[in-house]
């Protein structure tokens, strides 16, 4: 399976934008880029996913590089509730995708 | 919004007991999953189901069984609880026909189970 690389931790201030990077240099053409996050003492929460084009939803935006070897999750205005571990994973279309495997992710701290 | 509800947030049981963890989803999803999450080991798949009465083993099925009698409900059973089954248990559901679906998985809040 293609691997992803994320920084161990990042820090932001409340109400400022946050850009969380993810490198996936061995991504294949049929791999979707998915982002999840996990707040303390809660289950993981789906955030967003995309294939080639940038994607927006009510939670975040996903910017995908033209060569697809990296992507960035954008939180437009961080709140204290956004403090969590963020996981970037690749899901292959047509493959056996039933198992989610999280790496260490990025621990986001949001300062008031 | 998808709602996945796990019956208990915290549960304490004794070694040797039979333990039932219940999960219900309200979005008519075909697929349902049970994971456990432990520090340093990440998320590990125990069992999943892609249809009523269907089940497939994940990576760590030993000591567990599952039941899916109705589409919205997926139960995890610890046949004879042991201390090494103390963990956070997470239920998830998704659309589409596993194992080939790339649809997002939606999780419950988890059950923190302690076996004494």
């Amino acid at each position: 399976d293609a691997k992803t690389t994320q920084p161990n931790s990042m820090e932001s201030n409340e109400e400022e934008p946050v850009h969380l990077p993810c490198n996936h240099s061995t991504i294949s053409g049929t791999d979707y880029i998915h982002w999840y996050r996990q707040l303390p003492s809660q289950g993981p929460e789906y955030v967003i996913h995309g294939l080639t084009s940038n994607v927006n939803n009510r939670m975040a935006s996903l910017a995908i590089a033209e060569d697809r070897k990296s992507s960035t999750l954008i939180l437009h205005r961080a709140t204290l509730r956004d403090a969590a571990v963020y996981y970037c994973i690749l899901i292959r279309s047509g493959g056996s995708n039933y198992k989610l495997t999280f790496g260490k992710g990025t621990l986001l701290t949001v300062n008031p | 919004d998808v709602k996945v509800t796990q019956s208990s947030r915290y549960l304490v049981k004794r070694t040797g007991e039979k333990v039932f963890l219940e999960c219900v989803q309200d979005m008519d999803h075909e697929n349902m999953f049970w994971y456990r999450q432990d520090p340093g080991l990440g998320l590990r798949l125990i069992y999943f189901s892609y249809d009523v009465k269907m089940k497939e083993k994940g990576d760590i099925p030993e000591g567990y069984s599952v039941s899916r009698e109705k589409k919205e409900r997926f139960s995890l059973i610890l046949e004879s609880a042991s201390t090494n089954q103390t963990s956070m248990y997470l239920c998830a559901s998704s659309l589409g026909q596993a194992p080939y679906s790339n649809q997002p998985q939606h999780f419950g809040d988890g059950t923190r189970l302690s076996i004494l």
Side-chain angles (χ1 to χ4, degrees), chain B residues 64-97:
Chain B
Y64 303 94
S65 63
V66 290
S67 171
R68 193 163 180 204
E69 296 296 319
K70 294 184 177 181
K71 191 175 184 181
E72 68 270 19
R73 187 179 297 270
F74 192 35
S75 302
L76 179 70
I77 303 151
L78 285 65
E79 298 291 343
S80 177
S82 64
T83 54
N84 63 11
Q85 292 178 310
T86 292
S87 185
M88 167 73 96
Y89 289 87
L90 293 161
C91 174
S93 72
S94 74
L95 269 175
Q97 200 67 53

Side-chain angles (χ1 to χ4, degrees), chain B residues 4 19 24 26-27 33 44 50-51 56 58 64-67 78-79 81-82 85 88 94-95 98 100 103 110-111:
Chain B
V4 178
V19 181
V24 177
D26 66 357
M27 286 302 292
F33 307 83
R44 292 183 290 168
Y50 55 87
D51 203 350
E56 294 286 341
Y64 303 94
S65 63
V66 290
S67 171
L78 285 65
E79 298 291 343
S82 64
Q85 292 178 310
M88 167 73 96
S94 74
L95 269 175
Y100 305 112
Q103 291 298 307
T111 296

Side-chain angles (χ1 to χ4, degrees), chain A residues 29 31-33 49-55 62-66 68:
Chain A
D31 286 340
Y32 283 76
I33 302 158
H49 76 286
L51 184 63
T52 55
S53 303
N54 295 344
V55 184
L62 177 60
I64 301 172
E66 202 168 324
R68 299 207 330 124

Side-chain angles (χ1 to χ4, degrees), chain A residues 5-65:
Chain A
T5 305
Q6 300 176 252
N8 289 333
S9 63
M10 290 184 66
E11 206 167 317
S12 172
N13 296 320
E14 205 174 3
E15 298 191 5
E16 289 183 359
V18 181
H19 291 234
L20 296 163
C22 182
N23 287 319
H24 27 79
S25 57
T26 58
I27 192 170
S28 81
T30 56
D31 286 340
Y32 283 76
I33 302 158
H34 285 237
W35 283 83
Y36 286 79
R37 71 180 185 182
Q38 190 167 18
L39 280 66
S41 301
Q42 293 190 23
E45 179 183 26
Y46 163 75
V47 178
I48 201 166
H49 76 286
L51 184 63
T52 55
S53 303
N54 295 344
V55 184
N56 299 299
N57 67 20
R58 64 177 175 82
M59 289 180 69
S61 296
L62 177 60
I64 301 172

Side-chain angles (χ1 to χ4, degrees), chain A residues 62-101:
Chain A
L62 177 60
I64 301 172
E66 202 168 324
D67 64 5
R68 299 207 330 124
K69 293 185 176 182
S70 65
S71 60
T72 302
L73 179 71
I74 303 165
L75 308 178
H76 294 285
R77 289 183 67 199
T79 70
L80 296 178
R81 196 196 170 277
D82 291 321
V85 179
Y86 286 79
Y87 300 100
C88 165
I89 60 174
L90 302 180
I91 303 289
R92 182 155 296 173
S93 177
S96 294
N97 298 317
Y98 53 88
K99 180 174 63 178
L100 289 186
T101 303

